[in-house]
């Protein structure tokens, strides 16, 4: 399963590093080392400066990446990305062919801007819930949930909640024992209830 994690300037580091660690660790723990192929995608292949100056080198650019089964959009300083037509168009296009779409934190704003989410039940970082609801009033934005699944879409609350959501997705696409073993390998206290 190809897991593409989209990052951009100002992306929250744990929003993309946490899920990457979950999916790559799940493959190491699994009997099938190729179970999840996690990779980072950005608008270009140039280094991306995330929050606090953390620089990451994407595996692929939006114009050149493998087919995507699970598309995950990181949160962070999302406002500039909402105005970038190539980014929004890419998210929209990839969401139509991916099996599942997910977001961490304010990545939900990019999904909403791309019209990937319009009326679904979703969540985001607690500080941004009101803003998401006001900007996209047809959404059902819920509070006090680590993640929310609505059909082929899963959104999570902020930052560390993306790890819980990713472990849930390992459980969903593989099995519960692999998710539990992955959390154990990571020495992570998984909050396995949304």
């Amino acid at each position: 399963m190809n897991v593409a994690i989209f990052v951009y300037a100002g992306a929250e580091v744990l929003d993309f590093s946490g899920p990457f660690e979950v999916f790559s660790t799940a493959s190491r723990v699994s009997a099938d080392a190729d179970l999840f192929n996690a990779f980072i995608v950005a608008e270009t292949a140039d280094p991306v400066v995330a929050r606090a100056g953390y620089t990451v080198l994407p595996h692929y650019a939006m114009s050149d990446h493998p087919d995507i089964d699970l598309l995950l959009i990181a949160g962070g300083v999302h406002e500039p990305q909402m105005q970038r037509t190539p980014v929004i168009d890419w998210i929209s296009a990839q969401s139509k062919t991916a099996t599942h779409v997910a977001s961490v934190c304010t990545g939900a704003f990019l999904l909403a801007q791309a019209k990937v989410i319009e009326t679904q039940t979703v969540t985001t970082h607690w500080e941004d819930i009101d803003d998401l609801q006001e900007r996209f009033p047809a959404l059902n934005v819920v509070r006090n949930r680590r993640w929310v699944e609505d059909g082929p879409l899963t959104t999570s609350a902020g930052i560390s909640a993306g790890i819980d959501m990713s472990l849930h997705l390992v459980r969903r696409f593989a099995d519960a024992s692999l998710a539990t073993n992955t959390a154990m390998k990571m020495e992570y206290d998984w909050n396995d209830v949304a």
Side-chain angles (χ1 to χ4, degrees):
M1 181 174 211
N2 285 338
V3 180
I5 303 171
F6 182 70
V7 302
Y8 47 87
E12 188 69 53
V13 175
L14 200 57
D15 282 15
F16 61 87
S17 297
F20 185 88
E21 183 71 18
V22 168
F23 291 109
S24 60
T25 300
S27 288
R28 288 198 317 269
V29 170
S30 171
D32 179 1
D34 297 322
L35 182 61
F36 296 108
N37 174 34
F39 51 87
I40 303 293
V41 178
E43 188 170 359
T44 71
D46 296 332
V48 175
V49 181
R51 279 269 172 100
Y54 185 100
T55 303
V56 61
L57 185 62
H59 296 101
Y60 300 100
M62 292 187 324
S63 61
D64 179 25
H65 57 78
D67 290 341
I68 297 171
D69 299 305
L70 169 58
L71 174 64
L72 191 150
I73 309 297
V77 183
H78 59 281
E79 292 285 349
Q81 301 307 311
M82 291 177 71
Q83 308 310 316
R84 296 207 43 74
T85 301
V87 167
I88 297 305
D89 289 350
W90 180 83
I91 290 171
S92 177
Q94 296 308 311
S95 295
K96 289 174 183 162
T97 58
T99 304
H100 202 87
V101 177
S103 67
V104 179
C105 194
T106 56
F109 284 80
L110 299 181
L111 292 179
Q113 186 75 2
K115 299 189 185 320
V116 175
I117 55 175
E118 296 183 278
T119 60
Q120 291 90 337
T121 300
V122 298
T123 196
T124 188
H125 191 285
W126 62 269
E127 287 182 317
D128 300 291
I129 285 175
D130 291 340
D131 187 26
L132 183 61
Q133 188 69 79
E134 287 170 18
R135 287 189 190 201
F136 303 97
L139 288 174
N140 178 28
V141 186
V142 298
R143 299 177 185 278
N144 301 317
R145 297 282 299 275
R146 294 293 281 172
W147 75 87
V148 174
E149 191 166 57
D150 189 339
L153 169 78
T154 308
T155 54
S156 80
I159 311 177
S160 68
I163 297 173
D164 290 330
M165 177 190 72
S166 296
L167 286 162
H168 164 71
L169 291 172
V170 168
R171 175 174 58 194
R172 185 181 199 275
F173 293 114
D175 58 54
S177 65
L178 179 59
T180 300
N181 291 339
T182 299
M184 186 180 301
K185 181 74 168 178
M186 293 172 59
E187 294 200 66
Y188 181 73
D189 187 14
W190 179 27
N191 185 346
D192 67 347
V193 178

